[in-house]
Amino acid sequence: MIFLSLGGNQLRMAGLQFGNLFPRYRSTAISLMSGIFAASAGLFFFLQLAVDAGISLRHANWVLAGIAALTLPVTVIMPCHHIPYNDEEAEKTNRESVELPLRRSFLSLSSFTYQMWFFFNLFAVVLFNTFFNSWISSFSATADEAWTYSSLFSISAFVSPFVSPLPGFAMDLIKKRNLEGLTNEERRIQELRCPALPSLALSVCVIVLYLCLFFKTPAAVYLSLICLTLARPSVIAIGNSFVRARFPGDHFLRLIGIYGTVVSVLTILQYPHFIWAQHNYYMAQGFMVAMVIIACFHPLHLLSNTYLRRVVRMEQKTSSDNELTTPLSPDAIKLKVEAERGQLEPPQPA
């Protein structure tokens, strides 16, 4: 299981860099790749169907191992270090290499609110998956009815690749809307603000998803599966797109790794929450709903013009300071001195 987690997550993080190949639709590309990763959860449903059809579990696992081995030739042609940031507009406004310290990015208000938003929304989805079987079993009249719900739960994962590009596409559209006539500072503020609406919409979707656990009706199951189809791929997709837009590009993979590690450690709280729910079901589930509501502070703080303007000006100041402190080559210094003394001769006509 450790090998499975390391291999899958590292391949996913390396693949996220391919979003740089599409500078105008970077959020859409990152969201699509994140959604395809989320679709893997539905693989077990087809594995179960194969075993029920008489296929040996040993043979099925060998086939899965062979399919996984197909990723090895692809890694050979991947860039050794990183894919360059091919975005001239971002270079002018955001300065991908502003050389901000990683500590400043990680300890910022946006980083803290995002970590809180990312954890509680993803944790709510994980807890929903934990309680789903016991939830549908508590009111299913027959085993066939429970099997139907369980099958729909697995099939919903395969819809993820078709749903995951939507939040990223929405962010790209918001970023490009009404950009004419704006200054570089205003363009950057617009780019920082674009994840706010998708993030808030996702939190509302997760709240509805979790509230369905309070009702034991078929309608609640169908509504929860619709919300799960939207929320499961979008949590990671929107989160990755936000980190890419908010922080310098060279911090992207390191921050994603830090956030993922923190969430992995905190997910251990799944077990005590499960024990709490055994003794006080509604209070435990209500606590999670309250935490997701509090996490909505993350998208709301992106609507503050004062905060975003301060962030952009700090980026610009850091970029200017880096340009002033960048050492010049000997030839560049010589030309600069000659220019200041007026010793540069005008170019001779051919």
Side-chain angles (χ1 to χ4, degrees), residues 59-167:
H59 293 161
N61 286 330
W62 276 112
V63 171
L64 291 177
I67 295 176
L70 295 177
T71 61
L72 295 178
V74 179
T75 58
V76 178
I77 64 175
M78 292 178 69
C80 295
H81 180 55
H82 72 282
I83 296 177
Y85 310 117
N86 183 21
D87 191 348
E88 296 180 358
E89 182 177 348
E91 289 289 342
K92 295 177 182 178
T93 59
N94 188 28
R95 298 292 185 182
E96 295 288 359
S97 55
V98 293
E99 299 182 5
L100 278 172
L102 179 64
R103 183 183 69 257
R104 181 179 297 181
S105 294
F106 180 67
L107 297 180
S108 64
L109 175 63
S110 293
S111 177
F112 173 76
T113 58
Y114 168 73
Q115 180 73 86
M116 179 179 63
W117 176 90
F118 182 56
F119 169 68
F120 283 120
N121 281 274
L122 189 60
F123 192 54
V125 174
V126 171
L127 289 178
F128 178 85
N129 296 338
T130 302
F131 290 106
F132 184 79
N133 283 332
S134 59
W135 176 47
I136 62 175
S137 299
S138 64
F139 63 89
S140 296
T142 62
D144 291 338
E145 183 181 359
W147 166 253
T148 301
Y149 296 148
S150 180
S151 301
L152 292 175
F153 175 82
S154 299
I155 293 174
S156 65
F158 283 92
V159 187
S160 297
F162 303 98
V163 175
S164 60
L166 297 181

Side-chain angles (χ1 to χ4, degrees), residues 127 130-135 138 210 213 216 269-285:
L127 289 178
T130 302
F131 290 106
F132 184 79
N133 283 332
S134 59
W135 176 47
S138 64
Y210 214 79
L213 292 175
K216 298 181 178 182
L269 296 174
Q270 177 184 3
Y271 181 72
H273 182 274
F274 180 79
I275 299 300
W276 184 15
Q278 302 303 308
H279 296 85
N280 199 328
Y281 180 82
Y282 292 104
M283 181 174 291
Q285 309 299 32

Side-chain angles (χ1 to χ4, degrees), residues 108-257:
S108 64
L109 175 63
S110 293
S111 177
F112 173 76
T113 58
Y114 168 73
Q115 180 73 86
M116 179 179 63
W117 176 90
F118 182 56
F119 169 68
F120 283 120
N121 281 274
L122 189 60
F123 192 54
V125 174
V126 171
L127 289 178
F128 178 85
N129 296 338
T130 302
F131 290 106
F132 184 79
N133 283 332
S134 59
W135 176 47
I136 62 175
S137 299
S138 64
F139 63 89
S140 296
T142 62
D144 291 338
E145 183 181 359
W147 166 253
T148 301
Y149 296 148
S150 180
S151 301
L152 292 175
F153 175 82
S154 299
I155 293 174
S156 65
F158 283 92
V159 187
S160 297
F162 303 98
V163 175
S164 60
L166 297 181
F169 186 67
M171 292 171 63
D172 287 329
L173 287 181
I174 295 173
K175 183 171 65 174
K176 296 174 184 177
R177 186 183 60 185
N178 299 329
L179 292 181
E180 303 232 349
L182 299 180
T183 63
N184 288 339
E185 179 178 317
E186 292 171 338
R187 285 172 179 265
R188 177 60 178 151
I189 291 176
Q190 182 79 356
E191 182 182 3
L192 294 176
R193 186 179 288 120
C194 66
L197 183 58
S199 300
L200 184 60
L202 172 66
S203 295
V204 173
C205 184
V206 172
I207 292 172
V208 175
L209 166 70
Y210 214 79
L211 285 176
C212 290
L213 292 175
F214 289 85
F215 305 94
K216 298 181 178 182
T217 62
V221 177
Y222 297 132
L223 177 60
S224 67
L225 291 178
I226 293 175
C227 293
L228 181 65
T229 302
L230 297 174
R232 179 159 46 191
S234 299
V235 173
I236 298 178
I238 294 177
N240 291 339
S241 298
F242 165 77
V243 175
R244 181 61 185 82
R246 170 63 178 85
F247 303 107
D250 55 347
H251 292 178
F252 176 62
L253 288 182
R254 285 180 286 178
L255 288 175
I256 290 295

Side-chain angles (χ1 to χ4, degrees), residues 272-333:
H273 182 274
F274 180 79
I275 299 300
W276 184 15
Q278 302 303 308
H279 296 85
N280 199 328
Y281 180 82
Y282 292 104
M283 181 174 291
Q285 309 299 32
F287 173 79
M288 277 308 305
V289 173
M291 291 299 100
V292 176
I293 294 176
I294 293 175
C296 290
F297 177 77
H298 167 66
L300 294 178
H301 98 283
L302 295 175
L303 301 178
S304 172
N305 283 328
T306 304
Y307 174 74
L308 295 183
R309 201 172 297 278
R310 185 166 65 248
V311 169
V312 173
R313 290 176 179 175
M314 182 182 299
E315 291 177 350
Q316 294 175 345
K317 180 179 182 301
T318 305
S319 178
S320 300
D321 293 343
N322 289 333
E323 291 178 356
L324 292 175
T325 57
T326 300
L328 299 176
S329 63
D331 293 339
I333 295 176

